[in-house]
Amino acid sequence: MLDEILLRNVALIREASMVPARGLTVLTGESGSGKTAFLSGLKLLVGERGSAEMVRDGAAMLEVEGRFIPKDGEDPDEETIALRTVAADGRSRVRLNGSMASVGDLAERVGRTVDLCGQHEHQQLMKAAMQARMLDDWIGSELDGVLEPYRAALDAARQAQAKHEELLRASSADSARLDEARFVLARIDAVSPQPGEYEELLAEARRMENIEELVRSAGGAREALSGENGALDALNQAISLLQGAARLDARLANGVKALSDACFIVEDAAREVDALIPDVDSFDPAQLEELQARLSAFQGLMRSYGPTMDEVLARREAAARELAVYDDLDGAIAKSERAMREAEQALVQAAEALSAVRARFAPRFADEVNAVLARLEMPGCSVACEVVRLDRARWGAAGPDQVTFSFKPTPDAEPRPLAKIASGGELSRVTLAVKTVLGEADATDTLVFDEVDAGVGGKAALAVGAVLRELAATHQVIVVTHLAQIAVLGDAHYVVERAGKVSPETRMRQVDGDERVQEIARMLSGAIDDASLAHAEEMLRG
């Protein structure tokens, strides 16, 4: 909801601010005082188009800044600070929480939480998608059991169709593409590389190419360990000497044991070296040549399909899959057709279940709206809520239906789409009725009503005020009004005034106490006198 709004250089407003109540805020002022400028600034803040004509004469740019906070019970830290500027040359900029953003981002982040009721260009009730959403929100939990299965069935049907189309595309693949896949598969299979084999071949080739060095080094190590006068002879001689000395000094026994252990370790190492010494006489150069040839074949594959053997193997699998699909394409297409038909049948059943729930609740919703319209002293006026099945190609995540709200100004009149209602006052009051019926189910936080009191007075004005108070229990409501009967109901009251003749300026201020009594008195009689003041005080006391 809107926590605070600040306007600078918007039309005749030099600077004005408002901190609306969480319930009902009323905005009053004489005709021509500039209330429209406030609404224009709010429209900019919810993502509507701006223009250079909106900038105050002589100013470089206008600014509208607002802070929006969640409803009660939601995370208080999730606030949004939005700033919209329009320069005198028409250029527009947006910032959200200090970061640059687009007008589209602004409309998505803020615009969906604010409904300018009576402003046709931003009236959410005029949008077909929002009409379906309002009905769904009102239906509530009973819709969950059919909407989610429908969406799952729609997703399954789309996947089945996508798979079938992929197979059809494969069936029309040109011969050159298939020949390429066959060539790749044949070439790689001619070498038949195995995972990890290339690394093993590299290690073996390195060993065979350096076999003489291996023999020389290993032989030298063997002589140093176990040959005459080698390490083993030295260790055994040391052990023999210390064993005799240990009989004279027991402290040398630990040294004898340590040398014995070392002797065993050296003997094990000597045996391992001896076992690993390759027999140079059995070396076969042809074997090395064969190994190098295989390595060369591997490297050729990597140049064509690599650069790694993993990529070569992956390319081989891709070619095999492509040929497998093509070779069994007729059977796969027949299977995908069956799967697509089955998915479509399941979708149609889910769609019928969803449409049935909407069709059952739509008249009830309209009846409740019409009951509120009757309270608003709109005799003969009625709203209808119609659920119409769309063509299959137009089914989407919202469902297979188009939900349409239509309006009849008289019992004998033809119903018309809400967008065709000529009277802004009628549209505002229809919106008031719809939003009142939605109550807490409505996804919109803030409602701004303009012209809701157009053409009404007396008993009708009291009725409009009563419904606005009821609506303010579930929404933040801001009302631009000319009726004292509505103004006295506000939790907060702001007055818009026009000052200055040479350089006219629109000002906005909050009134309370005596100032509010005087404003109500002005609204009642156009003049402030004892009678109007007394009447105003009586109305404010309720």
Side-chain angles (χ1 to χ4, degrees):
M1 66 178 62
L2 179 61
D3 186 54
E4 184 176 1
I5 183 172
L6 175 64
L7 303 93
R8 295 187 182 92
N9 298 320
V10 180
L12 292 179
I13 297 176
R14 185 184 304 277
E15 182 170 322
S17 64
M18 173 189 282
V19 180
R22 288 175 175 261
L24 177 62
T25 300
V26 296
L27 190 67
T28 65
E30 295 182 355
S31 297
S33 59
K35 296 184 292 295
T36 302
F38 168 76
L39 295 175
S40 298
L42 190 55
K43 284 166 57 179
L44 290 175
L45 204 56
V46 298
E48 289 297 311
R49 181 175 297 179
S51 65
E53 289 74 18
M54 302 175 72
V55 182
R56 178 179 170 83
D57 288 344
M61 68 177 181
L62 66 78
E63 294 182 4
V64 185
E65 186 173 13
R67 177 168 55 245
F68 296 84
I69 59 176
K71 290 181 179 178
D72 291 339
E74 299 179 9
D75 187 354
D77 294 329
E78 289 294 324
E79 71 173 23
T80 298
I81 297 178
L83 173 64
R84 179 80 181 272
T85 64
V86 178
D89 60 5
R91 289 181 299 174
S92 176
R93 288 185 172 84
V94 175
R95 285 189 174 273
L96 289 172
N97 290 336
S99 300
M100 289 188 294
S102 67
V103 174
D105 295 331
L106 184 65
E108 173 63 25
R109 183 77 172 267
V110 174
R112 61 185 176 82
T113 70
V114 179
D115 196 355
L116 301 181
C117 309
Q119 301 289 316
H120 285 69
E121 65 272 30
H122 191 76
Q123 173 64 279
Q124 293 184 9
L125 193 60
M126 301 299 97
K127 302 171 184 176
M130 287 304 301
Q131 292 176 4
R133 180 176 174 180
M134 288 176 183
L135 176 61
D136 288 353
D137 288 344
W138 182 77
I139 295 173
S141 59
E142 291 198 40
L143 197 73
D144 296 339
V146 289
L147 182 56
E148 289 308 317
Y150 163 80
R151 287 174 174 168
L154 179 64
D155 185 57
R158 285 172 172 171
Q159 291 183 21
Q161 182 179 2
K163 184 175 181 180
H164 181 66
E165 291 174 352
E166 180 182 357
L167 291 172
L168 291 178
R169 286 192 298 270
S171 69
S172 61
D174 56 43
S175 58
R177 178 179 169 185
L178 296 173
D179 289 344
E180 170 67 14
R182 292 191 184 96
F183 175 79
V184 169
L185 189 64
R187 183 180 174 190
I188 296 177
D189 282 354
V191 179
S192 188
Q194 302 300 313
E197 182 184 0
Y198 179 65
E199 290 74 15
E200 294 175 2
L201 291 175
L202 282 175
E204 180 65 14
R206 189 179 302 111
R207 187 187 69 81
M208 294 180 70
E209 289 168 352
N210 296 280
I211 192 166
E212 292 183 357
E213 176 64 25
L214 286 172
V215 169
R216 182 167 57 255
S217 297
R222 180 182 59 185
E223 287 299 319
L225 291 172
S226 60
E228 186 176 354
N229 296 323
L232 283 174
D233 286 348
L235 285 170
N236 286 325
Q237 183 179 1
I239 290 169
S240 177
L241 291 171
L242 285 179
Q243 282 175 337
R247 288 192 291 271
L248 300 175
D249 189 342
R251 290 177 299 177
L252 295 175
N254 290 335
V256 173
K257 184 179 184 308
L259 289 174
S260 297
D261 291 342
C263 189
F264 291 137
I265 293 172
V266 172
E267 286 177 347
D268 289 342
R271 281 192 295 271
E272 290 182 9
V273 170
D274 191 57
L276 290 174
I277 294 176
D279 187 356
V280 71
D281 293 333
S282 65
F283 172 68
D284 184 1
Q287 184 181 3
L288 174 60
E289 184 177 345
E290 180 181 340
L291 187 149
Q292 290 173 333
R294 185 158 178 77
L295 277 174
S296 178
F298 273 56
Q299 290 162 354
L301 293 178
M302 288 189 290
R303 282 193 298 271
S304 297
Y305 310 115
T308 67
M309 280 307 301
D310 286 342
E311 290 171 305
V312 172
L313 295 171
R315 181 68 181 90
R316 191 258 176 212
E317 290 303 314
R321 282 197 304 272
E322 187 172 357
L323 291 173
V325 168
Y326 183 78
D327 291 341
D328 190 30
L329 207 52
D330 290 341
I333 289 176
K335 184 178 180 180
S336 73
E337 285 179 343
R338 288 194 299 272
M340 191 168 60
R341 284 196 301 270
E342 291 171 358
E344 190 66 20
Q345 290 171 358
L347 174 60
V348 169
Q349 292 177 356
E352 289 175 348
L354 174 57
S355 298
V357 172
R358 284 174 170 163
R360 178 158 51 93
F361 278 93
R364 304 181 195 178
F365 179 73
D367 288 344
E368 292 202 16
V369 172
N370 290 329
V372 179
L373 289 178
R375 290 172 53 195
L376 293 173
E377 301 293 328
M378 296 179 68
C381 296
S382 64
V383 167
C385 180
E386 186 179 12
V387 179
V388 178
R389 180 69 65 86
L390 295 168
D391 295 336
R392 170 62 183 88
R394 297 175 62 191
W395 292 10
D401 314 302
Q402 177 173 307
V403 177
T404 304
F405 295 169
S406 57
F407 178 72
K408 294 175 63 175
T410 64
D412 298 330
E414 288 294 323
R416 297 177 297 167
L418 286 180
K420 301 297 184 181
I421 296 176
S423 166
E426 285 179 331
L427 177 58
S428 290
R429 289 189 286 279
V430 169
T431 303
L432 175 59
V434 170
K435 295 291 187 177
T436 301
V437 170
L438 280 173
E440 293 183 350
D442 188 17
T444 306
D445 297 342
T446 301
L447 305 175
V448 182
F449 285 94
D450 184 27
E451 298 185 295
V452 71
D453 59 1
V456 301
K459 185 179 178 182
L462 293 174
V464 171
V467 176
L468 283 169
R469 284 299 305 172
E470 182 179 331
L471 183 61
T474 57
H475 295 73
Q476 181 186 49
V477 181
I478 301 173
V479 181
V480 177
T481 182
H482 295 279
L483 295 179
Q485 296 95 322
I486 294 175
V488 296
L489 300 174
D491 299 306
H493 188 161
Y494 282 80
V495 174
V496 178
E497 300 170 323
R498 190 165 180 173
K501 294 182 179 180
V502 177
S503 179
E505 179 179 331
T506 293
R507 298 171 182 172
M508 186 165 62
R509 59 189 177 89
Q510 186 173 9
V511 293
D512 204 352
D514 291 342
E515 286 187 321
R516 189 176 187 192
V517 172
Q518 292 175 7
E519 174 63 11
I520 298 299
R522 182 200 63 78
M523 297 176 71
L524 286 169
S525 66
I528 301 175
D529 53 30
D530 291 342
S532 62
L533 288 171
H535 191 186
E537 289 178 344
E538 181 181 355
M539 292 179 67
L540 286 167
R541 284 195 299 268

